[in-house]
Amino acid sequence: MTASVRLSRQIGILMIAPDSLALLPTAPLLVFGGPYSNLQAMQALLAEAARLGISGDRIVCTGDIVAYGADPAACCDLAMASGMHVLMGNCEQNLAAGSADCGCGFDEGTECDRLSSAWYAYAAGQISSAHQQFMAACPQRITIGLPDGRRLAVIHGGASDISRFLFASTDDAVLADEIADTGCDGVIAGHCGIPFVREVGAGLWLNAGAIGMPAHDGTPRVWFSVLTLEPDGLRVDIRPLSYDQAGAAAAMRAARLPEGYAAGLETGLWPSEDVLPPAEKASRGVPLQPVTHLWRAEVATRRSGTG
């Protein structure tokens, strides 16, 4: 056995394709999305991971390291130095390619579309060619394999579209089709900015949360998830994270970035609801609560017909 194989088994990471990783969660995994150039939130997230005893190689980011905030270069540097696994989000994809916009999926002419032009131009001017190379090398999918044979595809938005917004109110049939498109048993996604977990038939859909912007729930907290193996299945904990949002907002204002996003860090409310479905609009300002969900192993047994 080679030294590299021994190391892979020790840390539970197996390279299965250039754009995919299988993470065997022999220890908890921390999954989060959307740092959005919010350095204070990134620092708090890594401090919380250290407090929980979760090393960088057990951390997965669902993409969009760079977006609304004041510190795109520093956030890239921190992600690169941490050893975390970073998925390619639409922001990584477009910034790496030198595209003219973020490709976030905002409808043309909406408030989100207007605001994005300002922060995207700022971010594109701050990052280096080394950061672009880092973004270009990010995989478009990461696969988490469980000991019971089930697999979770980590994607940014949807399997069919990197910028697809999929929320807690999205129909089961839509999520089921997205899961089926991955060829896996469940999905961990980002992009929409509001965390949720739900079972879709025998499958699972988890939006792990975003740390760079609050969840439009009227609180400045941001959200991440921890995945832990239990005897009965996989436990998902969606957890809040507090950080120096005043410092992050001040940095945005000093950089002359759109005030709506800076204020959103403090108020917990987004500057626009353009992308939100009716159910999520109706939940504006309603504080989210931490969630613990067990995706039971027996679901896989029933589905395979072996039990």
Side-chain angles (χ1 to χ4, degrees), residues 33-103:
Y36 302 149
S37 304
N38 186 331
L39 180 61
Q40 289 80 1
M42 277 278 282
Q43 291 169 333
L45 185 282
L46 289 173
E48 179 65 6
R51 188 187 72 81
L52 295 171
I54 299 175
S55 57
D57 63 291
R58 309 298 301 177
I59 300 174
V60 178
C61 175
T62 62
D64 287 355
I65 293 284
V66 171
Y68 317 109
D71 294 291
C75 285
C76 287
D77 290 340
L78 197 54
M80 294 163 69
S82 71
M84 68 175 64
H85 306 282
V86 180
L87 194 74
M88 180 182 286
N90 55 278
C91 290
E92 283 83 13
Q93 185 180 65
N94 283 30
L95 284 165
S99 300
D101 60 52
C102 64

